[in-house]
Amino acid sequence: MNKDDQDAPGIPTAVVVKRSKWRIQLVWLVPLVAVLIAGWLAVQSIRQKGPTITISFTTGEGIEAGKTKIKFKNVDIGTIKSVALSDDHKTVLASAEMSRNASSMLVDDTRFWVVRPRISGGTVSGIGTLLSGSHIGMDVGTAQKERRDFVGLESPPVLASGTPGREFVLKSENIGSLDIGSPVFFRRLQVGQIVSYALDPDGAGMTLHVFVNAPYDKYVTSNTRFWHASGVDVTLDTTGVKVNTESLVSILIGGLAFENPPDTTNKIEADARRQYELFADRAEAMKQHDTIVDRYVLNFKESVRGLAIGAPVDFRGIVIGEVTAIRTHFDLAGNEFSIPVEVSIFPERLISSDDSGGRVEQIPSERKVVADHLISKGMRAQLRTASLLTGQLYIAIDFFPAAPKVTVDWSKKTPQLPTVPGNLQGLQDSITSLVAKLNKIPFEGISQDLRKTLGDASTLMNTINTDVAPEAKATLTEAREALTSANRALQSDSPLQQSTAETMRELSRTAASFRSLAEYLERHPEALLRGKTEDK
């Protein structure tokens, strides 16, 4: 276009505008928004990311990096990111990334374990992992202190944190057939379980921790007795054979049981973690625990086979003590053996609760006076058989007025009470005396006289056979012939029978004639003088 054209009217003039070098083109807005979104997501991811923890296990079985989940109440709250050996190669360290909402659950007493199929304490757990694979279970603790390094459990905890109930401590000589998870019974109802056990530091016993679920924990009082209820309890004692068990579960996996004694009056609930003694069986647990114990020794010179430690000391059907020791003693002076049996006597059982009047706590000197008086009246100890089936023995305290007088030497550490031979020993003595008397009988002379008498009897029998028997035989033959003849004569068709019948008929006719004559003379007595007149 030339200059004249530009100056022509009605034609606009173009103005040149310079482009800004900071101007952003529209095409770059898309990646910019994408970057902003990515940044926002990254920030959100960082904000939602939870803490990283380390869990130590003895083995890495069932743990896989990137796959194994950490679950609480079957909800995923974390994932195992890496698995590696520890520096000393003794443990496996599993690093896990937890979700943000799990931060408050990672406290000092939080517990972790690998969930896999298990059979323990009569329960089966982790069956679902057969299809889904193992995972790590978690139980939240109650502590306030946070923690990031944990030691995994070898087995799942028996109880979840916060389970209502109380824990108690039991002391036992041995563990028996018990295990973690073994049931605890109350009146044959399962009310708890064993949560842990450990050997005492001195190795003299075991310490068990049991948990009794609510509301059954209120039945545990200061007087409660715990005992082993494992398997089948077969007892062979002075009363015979006893078979007892709590349930089929206790037969298979063992268990404990507890109960209050029948005469318990104090039923105040026990505090948590109270310590109790664990008895071997119910009979031992329910024994009366006496506060006063007098110890004596009983010296027997007979066999004590069948007498066991723990055998009762009986006074007319009431158990007043028990056997605590059985020993052997040889007396050089008397050149004989004896069996000292130590017993514990409980004086409280000899005093009626109605008449005690506080005399249970009488001083020992008073009990010595009472014992001397009773011994002077014939009180003695004697071995007796409790059961013919088992052969068990027990010690009976009774009165024997004919027993020799004795005194007790109270200066000895363990006084000796007098004894008398047992019933079995008395029977043996009687049999021995009888045998001695039988030995004095001259059986040889008696046998010779008897042999001579038998010889004379044999001679007599020969004489009878040779002399008397033939004559007796002839006599019997004649008697038989006489009986035969009599039998023939008495036959119905014999002449004697016919003649006798005819005679009897004649006699009947004669009697009838005499009867007619007598009747006529009764009517006509004058006929004796005048004769019979003809009837007109």
Side-chain angles (χ1 to χ4, degrees):
M1 182 180 295
N2 54 29
K3 185 177 180 180
D4 293 336
D5 294 334
Q6 293 179 354
D7 294 338
I11 298 175
T13 301
V15 179
V16 178
V17 179
K18 293 184 178 179
R19 180 181 296 178
S20 175
K21 57 182 179 181
W22 297 103
R23 187 177 180 181
I24 300 177
Q25 296 182 0
L26 183 61
V27 70
W28 291 105
L29 290 177
V30 175
L32 180 60
V33 173
V35 171
L36 292 176
I37 293 175
W40 179 81
L41 292 176
V43 172
Q44 288 296 109
S45 176
I46 294 173
R47 291 182 61 186
Q48 293 295 329
K49 183 179 180 181
T52 299
I53 63 172
T54 302
I55 308 173
S56 173
F57 293 100
T58 57
T59 177
E61 180 184 359
I63 304 175
E64 295 184 43
K67 293 183 178 181
T68 304
K69 302 293 184 180
I70 298 178
K71 295 184 178 184
F72 176 68
K73 294 185 177 182
N74 210 28
V75 176
D76 294 347
I77 59 173
T79 305
I80 299 296
K81 293 301 181 180
S82 65
V83 180
L85 288 174
S86 62
D87 295 337
D88 57 3
H89 300 169
K90 293 182 178 180
T91 59
V92 174
L93 301 179
S95 179
E97 185 177 305
M98 308 296 291
S99 61
R100 183 182 177 186
N101 56 5
S103 300
S104 60
M105 297 187 290
L106 302 174
V107 294
D108 193 53
D109 55 349
T110 297
R111 297 175 291 183
F112 295 90
W113 67 94
V114 178
V115 179
R116 58 173 68 96
R118 298 175 188 272
I119 300 177
S120 177
T123 59
V124 179
S125 61
I127 298 298
T129 59
L130 292 174
L131 300 177
S132 62
S134 300
H135 64 269
I136 295 179
M138 174 182 171
D139 181 49
V140 180
T142 58
Q144 300 296 326
K145 182 181 178 181
E146 294 185 356
R147 186 175 178 180
R148 294 296 181 264
D149 296 327
F150 299 90
V151 177
L153 302 177
E154 292 299 316
S155 58
V158 179
L159 296 172
S161 300
T163 303
R166 278 177 291 175
E167 182 179 323
F168 302 99
V169 180
L170 305 181
K171 304 293 290 187
S172 175
E173 292 184 358
N174 55 73
I175 191 64
S177 58
L178 302 175
D179 197 359
I180 295 176
S182 295
V184 178
F185 296 95
F186 175 70
R187 300 190 182 278
R188 300 186 184 273
L189 174 67
Q190 183 174 346
V191 298
Q193 53 277 322
I194 297 176
V195 295
S196 66
Y197 62 84
L199 183 67
D200 292 341
D202 57 359
M206 300 291 297
T207 300
L208 297 88
H209 293 260
V210 300
F211 188 87
V212 180
N213 301 320
Y216 308 106
D217 57 338
K218 66 181 180 181
Y219 299 113
V220 181
T221 67
S222 57
N223 292 325
T224 298
R225 312 285 172 81
F226 288 83
W227 67 87
H228 281 274
S230 303
V232 179
D233 181 16
V234 181
T235 305
L236 183 64
D237 57 11
T238 57
T239 60
V241 180
K242 297 180 181 179
V243 180
N244 185 34
T245 183
E246 288 293 326
S247 68
L248 181 61
V249 176
S250 65
I251 294 177
L252 299 176
I253 64 173
L256 300 177
F258 72 89
E259 196 174 328
N260 294 317
D263 55 350
T264 300
T265 57
N266 181 14
K267 296 186 177 181
I268 300 176
E269 297 181 20
D271 297 331
R273 303 188 65 84
R274 181 186 176 91
Q275 183 171 305
Y276 295 90
E277 180 182 359
L278 180 60
F279 295 94
D281 50 42
R282 187 181 188 278
E284 182 69 20
M286 291 300 169
K287 274 187 178 180
Q288 182 177 350
H289 296 273
D290 301 271
T291 57
I292 302 177
V293 180
D294 290 339
R295 290 178 172 81
Y296 298 95
V297 63
L298 308 174
N299 199 18
F300 295 101
K301 295 184 179 180
E302 56 193 291
S303 174
V304 296
R305 183 173 184 176
L307 184 69
I309 295 177
V313 178
D314 181 284
F315 176 71
R316 296 184 177 180
I318 300 176
V319 177
I320 61 172
E322 62 182 11
V323 176
T324 57
I326 302 176
R327 296 183 174 87
T328 303
H329 175 71
F330 180 73
D331 186 7
L332 293 175
N335 195 25
E336 62 178 355
F337 281 96
S338 61
I339 310 295
V341 177
E342 294 183 8
V343 298
S344 294
I345 303 296
F346 311 118
E348 295 170 302
R349 303 186 186 184
L350 293 172
I351 301 175
S352 173
S353 58
D354 296 335
D355 302 329
S356 60
R359 293 182 57 189
V360 172
E361 298 180 357
Q362 59 185 334
I363 59 176
S365 59
E366 294 182 357
R367 294 202 295 273
K368 294 177 183 178
V369 173
V370 173
D372 286 334
H373 174 72
L374 296 177
I375 291 172
S376 66
K377 296 296 183 180
M379 187 182 73
R380 301 290 187 272
Q382 184 185 50
L383 287 175
R384 292 182 183 177
T385 302
S387 173
L388 296 176
L389 176 64
T390 62
Q392 295 289 314
L393 299 179
Y394 71 99
I395 296 177
I397 303 294
D398 211 334
F399 289 92
F400 302 86
K405 301 294 183 181
V406 294
T407 57
V408 178
D409 185 4
W410 296 103
S411 61
K412 294 183 177 180
K413 181 179 179 181
T414 305
Q416 179 177 327
L417 295 181
T419 62
V420 295
N423 295 334
L424 183 59
Q425 184 65 30
L427 178 62
Q428 292 177 350
D429 294 341
S430 299
I431 294 175
T432 302
S433 177
L434 178 61
V435 171
K437 293 179 180 179
L438 291 176
N439 289 333
K440 295 180 180 179
I441 299 176
F443 288 103
E444 186 175 354
I446 294 175
S447 63
Q448 292 178 357
D449 295 340
L450 181 61
R451 192 180 297 110
K452 182 178 179 181
T453 302
L454 292 175
D456 295 340
S458 178
T459 302
L460 177 62
M461 292 300 297
N462 292 332
T463 302
I464 292 174
N465 289 333
T466 55
D467 299 338
V468 179
E471 296 179 3
K473 184 177 181 181
T475 303
L476 291 174
T477 302
E478 294 176 359
R480 188 180 296 108
E481 291 177 355
L483 290 173
T484 302
S485 300
N487 187 31
R488 286 197 300 268
L490 293 176
Q491 294 292 331
S492 60
D493 56 349
S494 64
L496 178 61
Q497 286 286 345
Q498 294 178 358
S499 299
T500 303
E502 184 65 26
T503 301
M504 293 301 295
R505 284 193 293 271
E506 290 294 333
L507 289 175
S508 297
R509 287 192 294 270
T510 302
S513 298
F514 275 109
R515 187 165 45 255
S516 298
L517 177 61
E519 292 176 353
Y520 181 80
L521 290 177
E522 184 177 1
R523 292 193 304 271
H524 304 281
E526 70 276 6
L528 292 174
L529 299 176
R530 297 178 182 180
K532 183 177 180 182
T533 59
E534 297 181 358
D535 294 333
K536 295 182 180 181

